[in-house]
Amino acid sequence: MKSPWGELQELKGASTAQEEENGVRQAFSNDVLERYSRQMLLLRFGVEGQKRLSQKSVLVIGAGGLGCPAAMYLASAGVGRLGLLDRGDSVDRSNLHRQIGHTDASVGADKCLSLRDSLMRINPGSSICTLSTGITAKFALQLILPFDIVLDCTDNVESRYIISDACAALRKPLVSGSAIGFEGQLSVYCDSEESPCYRCIFPSPPPPDCVGSCDTAGVLGPVPGVIGTMQAVEALKLAAEIEGAEVCSRRMVLYDGLSCETRVIRLRSRSKTCRACGNPEDSSQRIVNPAEFDYGSFTLAGSCATPQSTDQGRLRATALLDKGRLKDALCIDVRPKEQFDMCSIGGFQNIPITKLSKELITIQNRVGDKEIILICRRGVDSATAVSMMRKAGIENATDVIGGLDAWRQECNPEFPTY
């Protein structure tokens, strides 16, 4: 099958200079020596480390808060080839506080192309290939195969399993990082026979409703910067084969930005029965090719989430234009207080969904026959809130399809984006 990357030129490594007529001998060209001299001065790195680095290829999956600093340091260090893979998202102004490879001028642009342009400004000699497509089980092996080292800089559970399973199948070292809120974590998988894969450590995924994201929970900008930078360090240790360096394998670094504490916990070795990198008793359970595994069903297994409501009986955002209806109803915004404080629709009071169950009796006594209108950011939490109320016997509750995002699109384009 043809590679999704097309034809990639063979890695040539850093160009070495020949002995000059004046008798001067040097390991690399003047440009290479000037650009990378500070890392070649390191006793455990040296000229040989730079040569090895220039002959290696690294794939960064995700061009966001983790991928930006990781890719910037890898390109600056002189990696032979750098691949950038992102799901086709465009640069969003609300992400600029942490996605430092993009600028305000690139808002709306493709993230892969925007990051590539930033890297080329840092190091014009970089060899960079990009694909604006997400990592999928169908093409995971083909996307990862051309690279020596992989960095998982994504933000969702399904991608983590796909990337890890593919790296396990191809025996590719995987540098995995994540960050949310004030915290981050880092580990290296699949770098040796004893090294576990992600599935060894997490054989079962967490319930979907228990997984947060920067989009909903928020993140302090430098936190993914710290983790992404650490991912670059691990990748450089692997690529340059730095003498005496110990990669973060069979260990996990836990970083707490609030307390400025870093803990390192020991991880188990590779599981002999792991479905991805081991030999399960039932050989049919072995994941040889991610394309043959149903990741959607796997990551949804064990969900304790409330089933989403159908649109029947729910309100379109335009219904909120009826001021008389809002005046006569009990209007509740179930977003977290931090989001409500940033912006809200007049007439709505804030009862976060995390506190709603404790307020149900008060609401029931207070509302009588009044209509209850609930809203959230995108219409998911409000649907859950309606279900909670109906289970408590409150039948006159409804919510807004699409939440505040729909209100912005259909009724008030000036409503803030966040």
Side-chain angles (χ1 to χ4, degrees), residues 263-300:
R263 294 191 299 126
V264 180
I265 60 175
R266 289 284 176 183
L267 301 179
R268 59 163 299 156
S269 60
R270 183 168 65 91
S271 171
K272 294 180 180 180
T273 58
C274 175
R275 298 182 67 181
C277 66
N279 293 296
E281 291 184 8
D282 183 353
S283 59
S284 66
Q285 295 297 306
R286 177 75 189 273
I287 302 171
V288 178
N289 185 345
E292 300 170 356
F293 187 78
D294 185 356
Y295 289 90
S297 297
F298 172 70
T299 54
L300 286 174

Side-chain angles (χ1 to χ4, degrees), residues 5 14 95 174 203 257 274 282 285 302 335 398:
W5 297 98
N95 294 327
L174 170 62
C274 175
D282 183 353
Q285 295 297 306
R335 292 176 298 157
T398 186

Side-chain angles (χ1 to χ4, degrees), residues 89-112:
D89 286 352
S90 57
V91 179
D92 191 301
R93 186 170 284 111
S94 66
N95 294 327
L96 293 181
H97 78 294
R98 71 184 187 280
Q99 297 181 1
I100 59 173
H102 311 296
T103 67
D104 196 73
S106 60
V107 169
D110 181 278
K111 284 169 70 173
C112 269

Side-chain angles (χ1 to χ4, degrees), residues 38-246:
R38 294 303 185 268
Q39 61 195 33
M40 283 191 279
L41 288 173
L42 292 167
L43 294 180
R44 296 184 177 185
F45 194 96
V47 168
E48 291 304 314
Q50 191 64 45
K51 286 182 179 178
R52 288 190 289 266
L53 183 60
S54 69
Q55 294 165 356
K56 298 290 176 62
S57 57
V58 180
L59 174 61
V60 176
I61 305 178
L66 297 168
C68 282
M72 293 168 80
Y73 274 112
L74 291 172
S76 301
V79 167
R81 178 184 296 120
L82 191 60
L84 302 177
L85 184 67
D86 196 88
R87 59 190 175 194
D89 286 352
S90 57
V91 179
D92 191 301
R93 186 170 284 111
S94 66
N95 294 327
L96 293 181
H97 78 294
R98 71 184 187 280
Q99 297 181 1
I100 59 173
H102 311 296
T103 67
D104 196 73
S106 60
V107 169
D110 181 278
K111 284 169 70 173
C112 269
L113 300 182
S114 170
L115 182 54
R116 182 197 63 186
D117 291 345
S118 294
L119 301 183
M120 293 303 292
R121 284 192 291 270
I122 295 171
N123 189 351
S126 298
S127 175
I128 302 172
C129 54
T130 66
L131 267 181
S132 296
T133 180
I135 187 77
T136 63
K138 184 177 181 179
F139 296 108
L141 295 183
Q142 293 93 326
L143 288 167
I144 289 173
L145 181 61
F147 297 90
D148 299 306
I149 300 164
V150 179
L151 272 65
D152 181 354
C153 301
T154 63
D155 60 359
N156 68 87
V157 174
E158 183 172 332
S159 293
R160 293 195 182 281
Y161 280 101
I162 293 173
I163 294 167
S164 177
D165 290 350
C167 286
L170 295 169
R171 302 297 183 189
K172 303 282 187 180
L174 170 62
V175 185
S176 178
S178 64
I180 190 170
F182 299 97
E183 301 174 344
Q185 63 183 44
L186 168 88
S187 191
V188 176
Y189 302 109
C190 307
D191 73 304
S192 69
E193 287 298 319
E194 291 300 313
S195 176
C197 69
Y198 183 81
R199 191 181 286 272
C200 286
I201 306 303
F202 304 103
S204 300
D209 52 331
C210 299
V211 178
S213 69
C214 297
D215 191 35
T216 56
V219 61
L220 190 67
V223 173
V226 170
I227 302 301
T229 300
M230 293 174 71
Q231 286 182 271
V233 172
E234 296 304 305
L236 290 174
K237 289 192 292 186
L238 288 164
E241 301 172 28
I242 299 174
E243 181 185 353
E246 295 184 18

Side-chain angles (χ1 to χ4, degrees), residues 54 132 184 233 249 278 310 367 375:
S54 69
S132 296
V233 172
S249 178
T310 64
V367 71
I375 198 167

